[in-house]
Amino acid sequence: MVWNWMIALYLFLAGMGAGAFVLSGIAGMAKKPCPKVKTIGFIAGPVCVAVGTLLLVVDAHAGLMNPLRFFYLVSNLGSVMAWGVIILALFIVVAAIDAIIMIVKKSTPRALDIIGMILAVCVAAYTGVLLGDASVAFPLWHPIILPVLFLVSAASTGFALVLVIAHGKAHDEIANIDFTVKSGMVLPVLEALLVIALLGTVAITGGSAAAAAKASVANLLTGGYALAFWVLFVIVGLVFPFVQALHKSMQEKKSLMQQPGLTIAGEVGVLIGGFMLRYLIVMAAIPVALG
């Protein structure tokens, strides 16, 4: 498989869709009803994951051009990708059923919601596992830290997607999911700590992978991808949304009028940072030289 921007977009869409579904599931279980928010995530979640999965199929150089090859690929249960596609398919089916029930009946079985949320978490983590499976060749793709990092980022981007849409379609329900204010402050910090842990761990890699590991980290911090890393990921994707969430929290405590434009800008920043995280990790990774 060729790792490129298409894989980065798949990783972003799959994680964002999974996070959106989880937020909507939580909103549906909140003390105050949030049917509009729940519907938004239950529709956006499986759609994003389905589009991302289509990109994965296309990038596997199979799909409609060579469906038999893709069948052999996913039927190999010893392959991480095979299990990933199975998880993706199960989530899309369960989430689609949940969405249809939600649209028709305005409520869904809690058991089905929970199953969908569990599968969504698996989808979000798998986006990191997919890269981590190639960590021997690409030291930057750490098999333990990366799945956790992508899981946290999936929560951030999924929540952001739902909130951006909700500001236009369900503004009256946003106050009922007030935990998103705290998550808006906690998740960027946690994501930053995980990135530091990832780069620090990779930087001290020894053996034959040491050169590729150090080059990958340098690529991000001071090399060709440094500007995108520091500006689009760190400042736009982490710092700006954190400041906006902190400001929003202070406004609520002082009972001041919200500024929806700035709030939406913060959520858009999260989405930009979420994509850049995956793009940079995919593109900046240097392979181990074969001796």
Side-chain angles (χ1 to χ4, degrees), residues 227-258:
L227 183 62
F229 177 81
W230 290 111
V231 176
L232 295 179
F233 172 62
V234 175
I235 296 177
V236 175
L238 295 180
V239 176
F240 178 59
F242 173 80
V243 172
Q244 286 301 111
L246 181 62
H247 177 62
K248 184 177 179 180
S249 176
M250 294 172 64
Q251 279 188 318
E252 288 182 342
K253 289 179 180 179
K254 296 178 181 180
S255 299
L256 297 176
M257 183 177 293
Q258 300 281 334

Side-chain angles (χ1 to χ4, degrees), residues 1 59-63 65-75:
M1 175 175 290
D59 198 69
H61 302 292
M65 295 178 292
N66 195 346
L68 190 59
R69 178 182 177 183
F70 189 74
F71 171 78
Y72 287 140
L73 176 67
V74 299
S75 63

Side-chain angles (χ1 to χ4, degrees), residues 109-125:
R110 174 163 291 198
L112 190 62
D113 292 352
I114 293 174
I115 292 173
M117 292 167 70
I118 292 173
L119 288 171
V121 171
C122 292
V123 167

